[in-house]
Amino acid sequence: IGNLTNLTYLWLFDNQLTGSISPEIGNLTNLMDLWLYDNQLTGSIPSEIGNLTNLTWLSLSFNELTGSIPSEIGNLDSLTWLSLYGNQLTGEIPSEIGNLIDLESLWLCCNNFDGEIPPAIGNLTNLIELALHENQLTGTIPSEIWNLTNLIKLYLSGNELTGEIPPEIGNLTNLAELYLGDNQLTGSIPPEIGNLTNLERINLWSNQLAGSIPSEIGDLINLTLLSLTSNELTGSIP
């Protein structure tokens, strides 16, 4: 396949392909779309993928890929969509991902990533969707995430994140979906959450949040889902 150097689109998704991703894929330097999702591909992501600097869409989701994300992924600075959802990838999320400043969607969920969320994600100011849920991420949510004011979907649930939800969450006024459940977050729910008037879904369940439910939650008139279950909240329902 490495001989097809004029290819701009390679779509092999939704099959039953097995084996590894050939490193010769790095020869296809004119590629704009590489969609290999929903197969049974194994092995690691070849570092040669970093040669594909014209890529705008890369989806390797729903395979059985292992190993870490190669740092060369940071070369793909034309990407607007990166999805590695639903594999068996491990290691830390490389800080080089912060080079992808045109990204609008970043889906790294449902893998086995560990370590902290790299602050360099805060460089991705065009992000609309950030999905890191169902991994083994630790540490606090980096403050840089609260500057991603174009976010509509923020999914960080199902990790081992600690620390408090800061008042700066009120900056994300475009958010429609906020999922922070099933972590180890502490402190109270900041009243600034009432600024997020576009919110339709909030999931803060299964943390260690304490204090009262802020009355400002009543400003979120577009909510269809509010889950605060399995915390340590006190006081009355406002």
Side-chain angles (χ1 to χ4, degrees), residues 170 190-197 214 216-220:
E192 289 81 2
I193 207 163
N195 298 349
L196 310 183
T197 53
E216 289 82 358
I217 225 154
D219 297 334
L220 306 180

Side-chain angles (χ1 to χ4, degrees), residues 19-109:
S20 59
I21 300 171
S22 170
E24 285 80 8
I25 210 142
N27 299 346
L28 310 183
T29 54
N30 288 305
L31 273 185
M32 297 178 66
D33 285 7
L34 177 56
W35 293 356
L36 305 181
Y37 64 86
D38 207 3
N39 281 288
Q40 299 165 29
L41 298 172
T42 55
S44 58
I45 300 171
S47 60
E48 290 82 357
I49 215 159
N51 299 341
L52 309 182
T53 54
N54 289 304
L55 275 185
T56 57
W57 283 59
L58 173 59
S59 180
L60 308 179
S61 298
F62 299 111
N63 281 288
E64 299 169 17
L65 298 172
T66 55
S68 58
I69 300 175
S71 60
E72 290 83 358
I73 204 111
N75 299 341
L76 308 182
D77 54 9
S78 295
L79 278 182
T80 59
W81 178 286
L82 174 58
S83 181
L84 306 178
Y85 189 142
N87 281 285
Q88 300 165 30
L89 298 169
T90 56
E92 297 188 2
I93 298 170
S95 60
E96 288 83 358
I97 221 150
N99 299 344
L100 311 181
I101 57 174
D102 288 334
L103 266 191
E104 296 176 3
S105 295
L106 177 59
W107 289 77
L108 304 181
C109 41

